[in-house]
Every structure is written in structure tokens, then in C-alpha cells.
Amino acid sequence: MCGIVGYIGHREAYPIIMKGLQRLEYRGYDSAGIALYDGNQINLAKTKGKVIDLKSKSENSISLEGTLGIGHTRWATHGIPNDTNSHPHYSNSGDLVIIHNGIIENYETIKKELSKRGYVFSSDTDTEVLVNLIEEVKKKENVLLGKAVQIALNQVVGAYAIAVFDRNKPDEIVVAKLGSPLAIGIGQQEFFIASDASPFIEFTNNAVYLQDQEMAIIRLGKEIKLRKIQDDAIAYPLVQELQMNLEEIEKGMYDHFMLKEIYEQPSAIKDTYRGRLRVEQGIIKMAGIDQNIERFLNAQRIIIVACGTSWHAGLVAEYIFEDLARIPVEVEYASEFRYRNPVITDKDVVIAISQSGETADTLAAIKLAKERGAYVFGVCNVVGSSIARETHAGAYTHAGPEIGVASTKAFTTQITILSLIALKLAKEKGAFSDSKYHEILSELENIPSKVEVALESNSLVEIISEEYKDSDNCLYLGRGYNFPVALEGALKLKEISYIHAEGYPAAEMKHGPIALIDEQMPVIVIATNNGHYEKVVSNIQEIKSRKGKIIAIVTEGDEQVRELADHVIEVPETLECLTPLLTTIPLQLLSYHIAVMRGCNVDQPRNLAKSVTVE
Ligand code: M6R
């Protein structure tokens, strides 16, 4: 849940690391630090706050020279965010310096042992314990840094991606990974280290993604050597050619990544179905499904595991799979699933959904499902991510990098891919008529242009946002396919604007939440014309008679709801099963504008991080 960056080569390391940290700030942004080796000594600066605070601190306090360095942006786990707990951390001798993403679970025990041997600790972090353990091993066993790292890591329990170097051997950086991501960019006589490829994409397209339990000694002028941490076996680096480009990870003309990503949805959805959805031929091509179609067709049920927004996409999928393919579906919070004793058999198919592909709870749920014999299919956005690797097969969403902490295009592209899967299985099972199948196929192809139309509501949504930006609470209601959209709308609002919001199935309102409604309460109701429309209209009437303020998301041309609601936002007409792809758009825009008007940091909301690699 932190971002790490490192560089060793012939360029000045400082600007590369700083820029890299800025790109990785989505992973954590409560403190940051950098350590540079200038040819004589290590110069280190760290601070509570964002990378921009680190920039001014380091430019005012240390020499920025050096062609070797490491940097870190933190999301606190052990120890509050302050200067001392920020990374990098020195070992007691000052020889070693480390950055770490992850958690060392047995650090208290190791700390006690090291304290007995005279080690002192200035921070509350598990990371400072780890670097001192490496130092102790190095001295005691009289081994080189790489070996010391390996021995030390065999004594720790937990998760890590680390980069460490020794000021007495400033031609190498040692890195290791278990549970947290780590990529090595390979340039000409230079190497980059990062939590993902975004910090080095403008320098090289060649990268090695370390696998769990692997470590590498990155030495200038030498090939990378990979080893298994457990048993010292040699591992062979698989150099991948990256498809990502720099433009994709810059904000461009937008004020925030979130807004950019909201506007990218038409192309992201298109990229997701490109090559898969072949309307003219009437087929859906998905290698991950085609190769294992029997597993899906014979599945007793599908269990979906995910967290946050991905869980909401899973809920939409539940409606689609049951409605179209007639396969029973259960949707589980990965964090609950992994700690229950769930009944899973080899007749179950588990679909794990995750934008980042690194969410710790989802990963653990996958491992549990595999242990119990289920077939596990991943729906991820980040190529080569841990979940993509851990699953038996899968499909990427191809949404492009999502940097804003609030998921937007990840949600709609996940729904797109899950709809493709459901349609494909429905067709194979003969669950519905050819004409219905073709109708949905061609409507799915129209969705990107309809999303573009839905985005035209932006100015209206901005005006509505002005009226409700000071609300303390907000209720979101939807039925059927749009119930998960209500949940997602509420999550978007609370996570970036800090307004308390609840999503509910519209009909549940009368079982409790209706007591909250008064003239102060904005109620956002999704009332498209084809999903239990009349019932939702009745719910709107119930809100109106209690003087609630109604913001309704309706189908173009709607008149009935317009009569009742305080505001209506139109989206184009589509098939009921595809409405979430459109109704979610104004809700994303609403939370975005309200958050901006309240002065909130939209891309980096407080206490959050983009990928949650801790449980
Ligand atoms: O990377 P994942 O899709 O696994 O992430 C799951 C959640 O952490 C994520 O969706 C989170 O809820 C977002 N901040 C929501 O906008």
C-alpha cells in the first residue's frame, strides 16, 4: 500500500525518483522520502505529507546529486504518518538504507531480539526492524548484502516489496518481493525499480515483474540475477515488452485524474470489448473462457469475490448472469469470504474482480478457493498483476491505467467484460433466443456512444452539485440492475467528498431509511424506464410526500418523473441489463463536482490508497 521507486545507472537519480513517486502517489500519500548516494555518502530526506512536500524539503536540505537512489511514498500501517516513520530507513550503522511496501507481521518479536543485541529504533515501523535484521545477519554471517537479505527474509512473516542498498557497495540495489508488486525496468546500462511501470515508462518498455518469493541483485553493468528467496534456486527473468504509454498516465487537459478517467469511459469500454465482441458474426471471443468453457457450463454456481467498487460490479454481474445465463451467483466481500469457512467445491467457478489485481483480501480469497478445488477466473485491469497471475485463467478489462483513487472506468469496464461472459455462456447454454442474443450484442456495441451522450449531462450535474455540496447526508436508491449502481454512487460520494451517503434498494426505503427523509435530505433515485419503473415512481412519490429533495436519473424523454423530481438528469435509452453502464455516469460526475466544490483532494482522498495490499 505504498509506492517504491529506485534507480541505478548513468542519469541523475533525483528527478527520476521524484517524478516516479508522484506517479505512484495513488498508492499512498501520507508521507514520502528519498535516499541518494552522491559518490561519498547517502543523503536522505523524508517528511510527513505528499511528494510535493518532500520535493521542497529535499531541495532545501540535502545534496541532490547521485546516480543511485531510492524513494518511497507511504500509506501508514505501522506507526502514524510523521517524519520519523517515513521511509527510507537506515540500519543502525548507517550503512544500509531500505524502502518497503507491505507489512512484516512478526516484527515485534524480531525487534525484541534485536534490542537485546543492542539495536535501537527511532521509528515505530516494521521496516526499520527489517533493515536492522538484514544488518545483523550480514555482520553475524559475514555475507554480502544479497545473501543477508535472503536469510533475513526467510525469518520474516508478512508481505513485502523492498529495495535496499549498502553505502559501502554503491553499485548495486537488492530487491525482493512477496505479496506486494515490484517491477524492474531495464534500460541501456541502467535499471529502474518501481511498484508499477509508470515511473519508468518514458525510459524503457522492457520490464521484469518479480514473482512472489523472488529477489534480484541489480548491479550496474551486469545482467539481473533472480533467485528464489526460500531455497536459493536460480529464477530466470522474463522480460516483458510494455504496452503502456506516457500519455495514458498524464492528466492531459483535465484538472484531475478522476475526471479524465470518467471521460475515458467510452474508449475504455470500446477497448474492453474490442476483438471480443463480433456483432456481425454473432460471436464473442474470449480466450480465457473459450479454453475452459466446460468449467463454466458445468458450474453448480458462480461465486464472485471482490472489494469496494469491484464488489459493486460483481453485484451487477449477479443480475446479468442469473437473468441471461440462468447460472446461480453469489457475490461475496473477499474480506468476509476468506475468513469464513465457505462451502466451496470443485463444481464451483469463482470469479475474482479487481482493478489493481493486488487487493490483499481478494488475493487471499482466490488462494482459499483454489485450495478447495474451485476453478478461479480473474477479471483485472492491471496486466501481470498478482491476481492475474494467481488465477487459473482470466480476462483483462483493458481500461488503461486508473490513477484516481475513486474507481470509475474500472467499474464500467468490469461490467462490460462480465456482460460479455454472461452473454457468451447464455448463448452456449441456449438460455435465450438468438434474436435476444443479437439484440444485446449490438446494443453493447452502441454503449460507448451512449456513454458519450450521458457525459453531456456534465454542466447540468455541476449546477445541481452547487445546490447540494453542503449536505451532510445523501441517500441513493435503485432497483434491480440499478441497485448496485446506487451503492456505487453512494461509495463515490462518501470516499471523495466525505459526505455520509447510503445506497439502498428503492423498495427497502420503507423498512427504515424513510425515517431519515426531510427537506434537508437529497435522495438520488435511478428511475430508468425499463427497470420496475412504476414501482420506482411510487418510491419517488413517497420521498416527495416527506419533502425529500429528489435528483432522478431518468431515460431520455421521461415525463412522469420530471413532474415529481426536483432535478432530472437524462441518460440515453438502452436495454435494462446495460443501464448500469449509463446511469453510473451522472453519479460519478455528481460526486466529482461536489468534492471539488468542497475543496477535497479528489484524486487522493484522505485515509485511502488506490490499491489495498494490506488486509
Ligand atoms: O483494485 P481493486 O478493484 O481490487 O480495489 C478494490 C477497492 O479497494 C476499490 O474499488 C475501492 O473501493 C475504490 N476506492 C472505490 O472507488
Side-chain angles (χ1 to χ4, degrees):
M1 195 87 154
C2 303
I4 66 173
V5 187
Y7 177 78
I8 183 166
H10 48 82
R11 301 174 211 248
E12 286 300 309
Y14 176 75
I16 296 171
I17 293 172
M18 271 305 167
K19 206 169 199 184
L21 289 178
Q22 265 156 350
R23 293 201 186 131
L24 290 182
E25 255 190 326
Y26 73 87
R27 302 180 60 84
Y29 37 80
D30 57 38
S31 41
I34 189 165
L36 300 161
Y37 182 75
D38 69 3
N40 287 310
Q41 59 175 25
I42 298 172
N43 295 303
L44 187 147
K46 52 189 188 170
T47 182
K48 176 178 180 214
K50 299 194 186 292
V51 175
I52 192 80
D53 303 308
L54 173 66
K55 195 162 183 297
S56 55
K57 183 163 185 178
S58 44
E59 286 174 10
N60 287 314
S61 63
I62 59 166
S63 155
L64 304 179
E65 281 173 29
T67 53
L68 182 161
I70 53 179
H72 189 268
T73 176
R74 179 170 187 244
W75 186 84
T77 53
H78 290 84
I80 57 163
N82 62 22
D83 291 4
T84 322
N85 287 336
S86 310
H87 301 209
H89 287 283
Y90 278 123
S91 61
N92 272 198
S93 68
D95 286 347
L96 308 185
V97 64
I98 193 170
I99 47 174
H100 168 217
N101 168 30
I103 291 182
I104 306 301
E105 289 169 14
N106 59 340
Y107 83 106
E108 297 268 26
T109 322
I110 300 170
K111 192 173 184 175
K112 274 189 203 135
E113 277 305 306
L114 290 172
S115 300
K116 280 189 212 152
R117 288 179 222 167
Y119 283 84
V120 287
F121 298 90
S122 55
S123 77
D124 305 318
T125 64
D126 48 349
T127 308
E128 195 187 9
V129 174
L130 178 59
V131 72
N132 281 303
L133 176 63
I134 296 169
E135 176 152 294
E136 171 66 8
V137 170
K138 190 168 175 293
K139 275 198 287 190
K140 204 167 140 212
E141 308 282 333
N142 195 18
V143 288
L144 296 173
L145 179 62
K147 192 71 194 166
V149 167
Q150 184 184 13
I151 297 170
L153 290 178
N154 276 305
Q155 295 175 27
V156 306
V157 177
Y160 49 79
I162 59 164
V164 52
F165 73 88
D166 180 346
R167 70 173 165 187
N168 301 312
K169 207 161 178 327
D171 64 342
E172 69 177 30
I173 302 181
V174 177
V175 296
K177 167 193 156 45
L178 175 65
S180 303
L182 198 145
I184 304 170
I186 302 166
Q188 296 290 333
Q189 299 293 314
E190 60 184 345
F191 296 101
F192 306 82
I193 297 152
S195 301
D196 69 34
S198 61
F200 55 75
I201 194 68
E202 72 243 59
F203 302 106
T204 179
N205 282 326
N206 296 322
V208 172
Y209 287 89
L210 244 57
Q211 307 293 312
D212 274 348
Q213 282 287 2
E214 280 181 3
M215 59 178 289
I217 298 169
I218 301 172
R219 195 167 292 155
L220 258 191
K222 297 268 165 38
E223 306 252 295
I224 298 180
K225 279 190 188 155
L226 293 194
R227 291 197 173 281
K228 288 283 177 200
I229 296 166
Q230 272 165 327
D231 56 11
D232 212 28
I234 293 187
Y236 294 93
L238 173 69
V239 182
Q240 298 191 18
E241 198 177 328
L242 303 172
Q243 303 300 327
M244 190 194 279
N245 63 46
L246 189 58
E247 218 178 42
E248 280 181 319
I249 51 171
E250 301 283 5
K251 268 192 282 207
M253 60 192 247
Y254 295 94
D255 289 340
H256 297 97
F257 280 111
M258 182 183 178
L259 190 63
K260 175 182 177 237
E261 287 154 8
I262 289 174
Y263 273 88
E264 278 173 351
Q265 289 174 106
S267 58
I269 293 171
K270 222 181 255 173
D271 289 343
T272 300
Y273 69 52
R274 177 168 296 123
R276 291 165 167 162
L277 177 62
R278 304 187 184 178
V279 178
E280 298 212 332
Q281 295 158 270
I283 53 170
I284 293 167
K285 278 237 83 48
M286 294 180 75
I289 303 284
D290 290 325
Q291 286 154 12
N292 308 287
I293 192 89
E294 293 306 322
R295 290 301 298 241
F296 282 90
L297 295 176
N298 298 328
Q300 185 169 274
R301 61 186 174 156
I302 290 176
I303 303 168
I304 295 178
V305 291
C307 304
T309 289
S310 297
W311 184 77
H312 296 154
L315 283 182
V316 176
E318 179 180 23
Y319 285 84
I320 309 176
F321 275 102
E322 295 203 339
D323 188 13
L324 304 186
R326 308 302 297 149
I327 302 175
V329 176
E330 284 165 30
V331 188
E332 302 263 5
Y333 281 119
S335 53
E336 287 298 313
F337 179 83
R338 62 178 291 196
Y339 284 118
R340 279 204 342 255
N341 187 7
V343 179
I344 313 168
T345 74
D346 58 4
K347 298 211 167 43
D348 292 322
V349 167
V350 170
I351 300 183
I353 311 173
S354 173
Q355 186 288 130
S356 61
E358 300 295 344
T359 300
D361 285 321
T362 310
L363 249 176
I366 292 168
K367 287 179 184 159
L368 176 70
K370 277 170 72 182
E371 271 164 33
R372 301 201 176 175
Y375 178 75
V376 187
F377 188 87
V379 171
C380 295
N381 189 38
V382 177
V383 177
S385 55
S386 303
I387 292 178
R389 292 196 307 267
E390 191 64 43
T391 41
H392 292 115
Y396 287 117
T397 46
H398 299 312
E402 193 182 65
I403 311 281
V405 165
S407 261
T408 51
K409 61 177 179 170
F411 182 63
T412 45
T413 53
Q414 286 164 349
I415 295 174
T416 304
I417 207 105
L418 292 159
S419 306
L420 288 173
I421 299 173
L423 271 166
K424 191 171 171 62
L425 298 180
K427 169 85 170 138
E428 291 287 338
K429 287 185 76 173
F432 56 21
S433 67
D434 271 5
S435 62
K436 179 90 187 142
Y437 172 74
H438 283 283
E439 188 189 9
I440 306 179
L441 236 55
S442 39
E443 183 57 9
L444 190 51
E445 197 176 37
N446 293 333
I447 287 293
S449 56
K450 294 194 175 185
V451 172
E452 266 166 28
V453 177
L455 284 165
E456 287 168 12
S457 65
N458 186 44
S459 329
L460 171 64
V461 175
E462 202 171 348
I463 296 166
I464 298 172
S465 304
E466 189 63 54
E467 199 167 319
Y468 296 100
K469 66 175 193 307
D470 297 319
S471 303
D472 294 324
N473 299 290
C474 221
L475 204 54
Y476 285 73
L477 303 177
R479 284 187 91 125
Y481 278 97
N482 282 298
F483 158 53
V485 177
L487 294 178
E488 174 60 9
L491 174 61
K492 284 294 85 92
L493 188 72
K494 59 191 148 192
E495 73 177 322
I496 60 168
S497 74
Y498 319 141
I499 294 176
H500 171 241
E502 299 278 351
Y504 262 93
E508 270 295 303
M509 186 182 60
K510 57 186 174 294
H511 298 288
I514 198 163
L516 293 168
I517 295 175
D518 60 17
E519 53 280 0
Q520 308 301 325
M521 176 67 96
V523 187
I524 291 107
V525 191
I526 304 155
T528 46
N529 65 2
N530 47 15
H532 318 285
Y533 178 71
E534 293 301 337
K535 304 265 180 224
V536 178
V537 172
S538 304
N539 297 137
I540 292 177
Q541 265 152 345
E542 288 158 11
I543 303 163
K544 195 167 171 65
S545 46
R546 275 131 192 117
K547 302 197 169 57
K549 295 274 179 284
I550 300 157
I551 304 162
I553 314 299
V554 299
T555 310
E556 253 166 13
D558 179 285
E559 286 176 5
Q560 208 177 337
V561 173
R562 191 174 287 275
E563 298 264 299
L564 299 168
D566 296 271
H567 312 272
V568 290
I569 305 168
E570 293 189 339
V571 294
E573 173 140 33
T574 188
L575 298 171
E576 186 187 355
C577 61
L578 302 177
T579 50
L581 293 166
L582 304 182
T583 51
T584 196
I585 305 294
L587 304 191
Q588 294 169 346
L589 290 167
L590 186 73
S591 54
Y592 171 76
H593 288 300
I594 290 181
V596 171
M597 287 170 191
R598 287 165 70 94
C600 300
N601 187 339
V602 169
D603 284 334
Q604 295 171 347
R606 70 185 179 206
N607 304 338
L608 285 170
K610 184 68 182 161
S611 49
V612 185
T613 54
V614 292
E615 37 172 306

